[in-house]
């Protein structure tokens, strides 16, 4: 059903199964075990479509593909040690294959893995190799992306002067590539660079440029991030009233978008501003919201700021609780500088741009390097497949129709829920919406994006994920968690729901025009998908209505 959620512990079970299949492949290096591994990834909804190796696939290609996708999988599962092991095994094979795109993907993935592990020297090395490869290909947008990665790594290493060189170069390439989304990301990164260099006028200027560009693009969640970046510079410039206004606009947007890391930082800043105004009761609410976020994320760097803020805001009204926060603050401060955990200080040093950097680079990764196999193994297998196909067709049709009904129901309530959402966002004291409501708003936004993209053909998984400001993997994972459906199946159901409406409400509209309105260039493809969903042709459906 539409609001189904993964059972607690499901990821661990899936991870064990995936690891066992990967181990079986490593021992055998057979096509059978490779395909079993890819079938498990498909079962978990990790890949958009099933990857299957043919009988003639060379062993080196098998190893390259299995190990690369294993690295992607473990990175997604936040098992960075396994992700590193698989990525390092895949890289030489990617390089030997001569496909620069595949090699670049592997280098970029390894860079991100080492960032997550706090090994920034290795992260820089692989990011530079990726950038060198991009420079050879001359693809300006890719060059801008890898330069942005390098800038983000140096920011995490607390070397903003080094980051400055890369972010300014990246901005130049992004402008030449004509990619406004990447320009906005790099402008935001530049703002952070100059904020850490204590050149706050420049930081404010770049954040304002990014904010204005995001408004032109209509990316509401990014508008909130840019306002938060502006607030950081304004606070440093002691323009506290302007900073407070920027945060008042940013915080509801960050809550709505689910950008919890940036929300936590913004709440810490708002708490400090309110404390400075002697409005400690309001300050405590913001510091507590930030504390809940950072303790959940195990972000001890920013948690220490929340604890310190609560100590200052509670000293007059609840000195005992204030001292508890102060004791914890001192513990965190000491652990941050311990030689074993000191790397965490760098890991969480970047404020708003770090999480965005991850999403930006994940969106660049290619997910369609797939090998197909077509064939059968004898008449008995053919008969078994035909029997299974009839059963699966009926089952799939039932599932699709159920999904279409859910989408139709969501469409009916979309307008009133959007109005309700606006009222909620305007109330600053409103608590974070419950999970189910956030999921509903996510689905509403998804339906809007797909319907808007159908006339132009921009409704593919990558197009939709980009429009929703998510990486493909993040979008897929969120949708699977909320609905249990893959992006491809959900988008197709939206198309079919619209098709049924048009066939019913516009009886004189030609079938070819209905197909075009639903995003299909060819009526034959439209007819095939429609028949799969409804068990009849569009013409038969119209006549029946």
């Amino acid at each position: 059903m539409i609001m189904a959620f993964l059972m607690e512990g499901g990821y661990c079970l899936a991870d064990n199964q995936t690891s066992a299949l990967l181990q079986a492949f490593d021992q055998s290096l057979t096509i059978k075990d490779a395909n079993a591994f890819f079938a498990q990834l498909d079962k978990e909804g990790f890949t958009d479509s099933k990857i299957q190796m043919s009988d003639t696939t060379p062993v080196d290609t098998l190893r390259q593909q299995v190990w690369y996708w294993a690295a992607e999988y473990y990175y997604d599962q936040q098992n960075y040690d396994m992700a590193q092991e698989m990525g390092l095994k895949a890289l030489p094979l990617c390089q030997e294959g001569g496909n620069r795109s595949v090699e670049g993907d592997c280098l970029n993935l390894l860079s991100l893995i080492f960032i997550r592990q706090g090994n920034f020297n290795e992260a820089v090395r692989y990011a530079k190799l990726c950038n060198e490869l991009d420079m050879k290909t001359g693809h300006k947008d890719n060059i801008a992306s890898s330069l942005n990665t390098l800038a983000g790594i140096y920011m995490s290493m607390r070397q903003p002067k080094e980051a400055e060189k890369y972010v300014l170069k990246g901005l130049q390439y992004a402008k030449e590539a004509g990619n406004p989304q990447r320009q906005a990301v790099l402008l935001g990164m530049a703002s952070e660079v100059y904020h850490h260099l204590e050149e706050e006028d420049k930081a404010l200027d770049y954040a304002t440029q990014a904010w204005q560009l995001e408004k032109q693009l209509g990316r509401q969640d990014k508008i909130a991030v840019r306002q938060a970046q502006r607030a950081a510079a304004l606070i440093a410039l002691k323009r506290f009233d302007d900073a407070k206004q920027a945060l008042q606009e940013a915080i509801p947007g960050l809550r709505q978008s689910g950008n919890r890391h940036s929300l936590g930082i913004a709440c810490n800043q708002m708490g400090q501003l309110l404390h400075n105004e002697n409005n400690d009761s309001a300050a405590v609410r913001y510091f507590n919201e930030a504390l809940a976020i950072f303790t959940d994320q195990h972000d001890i760097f920013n948690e220490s700021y929340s604890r310190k803020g609560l100590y200052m805001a509670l000293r007059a009204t609840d000195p005992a609780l204030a001292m508890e926060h102060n004791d914890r603050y001192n513990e965190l401060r000491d652990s941050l500088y311990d030689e074993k955990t000191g790397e965490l200080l760098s890991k969480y040093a970047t404020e708003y741009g770090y999480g965005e950097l991850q999403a930006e680079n994940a969106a660049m990764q290619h997910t369609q390097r797939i090998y197909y196999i077509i064939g059968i193994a004898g008449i008995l297998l053919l008969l078994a497949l035909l029997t299974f196909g009839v059963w699966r067709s009926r089952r799939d049709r039932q599932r699709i129709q159920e999904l279409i009904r859910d989408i139709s129901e969501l469409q009916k309530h979309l307008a009133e829920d959007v109005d309700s959402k606006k009222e909620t966002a305007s109330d600053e004291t409103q608590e974070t919406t419950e999970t189910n409501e956030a999921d509903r708003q996510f689905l509403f936004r998804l339906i809007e994006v797909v319907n808007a993209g159908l006339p132009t053909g921009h409704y593919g998984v990558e197009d939709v994920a980009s429009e929703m400001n998510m990486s493909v993997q993040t979008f897929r994972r969120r949708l699977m968690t909320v609905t249990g459906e893959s992006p491809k199946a959900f988008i197709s159901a939206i198309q079919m729901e619209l098709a049924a409406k048009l066939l019913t409400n516009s009886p004189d509209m030609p079938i070819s025009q209905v197909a075009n309105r639903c995003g299909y260039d060819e009526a034959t493809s439209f007819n095939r998908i429609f028949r799969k969903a409804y068990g009849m042709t569009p013409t038969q459906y119209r006549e029946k209505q």
Side-chain angles (χ1 to χ4, degrees), residues 393 396-401 404 454 459 488-500 503 511 515 518-538 541:
S393 178
D396 288 350
R397 184 175 303 147
Q398 183 178 1
R399 179 181 57 81
I400 292 170
Q401 289 178 356
I404 290 170
L454 289 178
Y459 62 89
K488 186 176 179 182
F490 198 90
I491 291 170
S492 179
I494 294 173
Q495 291 174 280
M496 291 299 99
E497 195 268 346
L498 175 61
L503 290 168
I511 299 297
C518 295
Y520 292 91
D521 294 329
E522 298 179 359
T524 52
S525 298
F526 171 70
N527 288 341
R528 177 173 53 82
I529 300 298
F530 190 93
R531 188 182 186 95
K532 183 179 179 181
Y534 291 97
M536 64 188 77
T537 67
Y541 183 91

Side-chain angles (χ1 to χ4, degrees), residues 50-120:
K50 190 174 182 180
I51 303 172
Q52 194 164 21
M53 299 294 158
S54 70
D55 292 335
T56 58
T57 303
V59 173
D60 281 352
T61 303
L62 278 180
R63 293 190 299 161
Q64 177 210 84
Q65 287 290 298
V66 170
W67 290 339
Y68 173 82
W69 279 101
E72 287 261 27
Y73 175 81
Y74 285 120
Y75 178 80
D76 184 73
Q77 297 293 309
Q78 300 180 19
N79 186 343
Y80 302 122
D81 290 339
M82 281 297 296
Q84 180 203 114
E85 180 183 339
M86 293 297 106
L88 290 175
K89 289 169 69 172
L91 180 60
L93 297 166
C94 293
Q95 292 170 328
E96 291 171 8
N99 187 325
R100 287 182 172 177
S101 176
V102 173
E103 182 184 352
D105 285 343
C106 195
L107 289 168
N108 186 64
L109 177 61
L110 281 166
S111 175
L112 295 175
I113 291 167
F114 282 115
I115 290 174
R116 290 297 192 180
Q117 292 177 315
N119 188 343
F120 299 115

Side-chain angles (χ1 to χ4, degrees), residues 468-541:
M468 296 186 72
N469 304 306
M470 295 180 174
S471 69
V472 172
Q473 297 292 9
T474 300
F475 169 57
R476 181 192 300 113
R477 186 167 59 250
R478 178 75 189 277
L479 185 61
M480 285 290 295
T481 300
V482 175
T483 70
E485 298 290 342
S486 69
K488 186 176 179 182
F490 198 90
I491 291 170
S492 179
I494 294 173
Q495 291 174 280
M496 291 299 99
E497 195 268 346
L498 175 61
K501 282 183 180 176
L502 292 173
L503 290 168
T504 303
N505 300 333
S506 304
D508 296 326
M509 183 181 291
I511 299 297
S512 59
Q513 189 175 343
V514 173
N516 289 334
R517 289 278 298 275
C518 295
Y520 292 91
D521 294 329
E522 298 179 359
T524 52
S525 298
F526 171 70
N527 288 341
R528 177 173 53 82
I529 300 298
F530 190 93
R531 188 182 186 95
K532 183 179 179 181
Y534 291 97
M536 64 188 77
T537 67
T539 301
Q540 291 170 334
Y541 183 91

Side-chain angles (χ1 to χ4, degrees), residues 88 120-130 150:
L88 290 175
F120 299 115
N121 289 328
E122 284 297 283
V124 166
R125 186 165 75 88
Y126 283 102
K128 284 185 174 180
L129 289 171
C130 183
L150 281 163

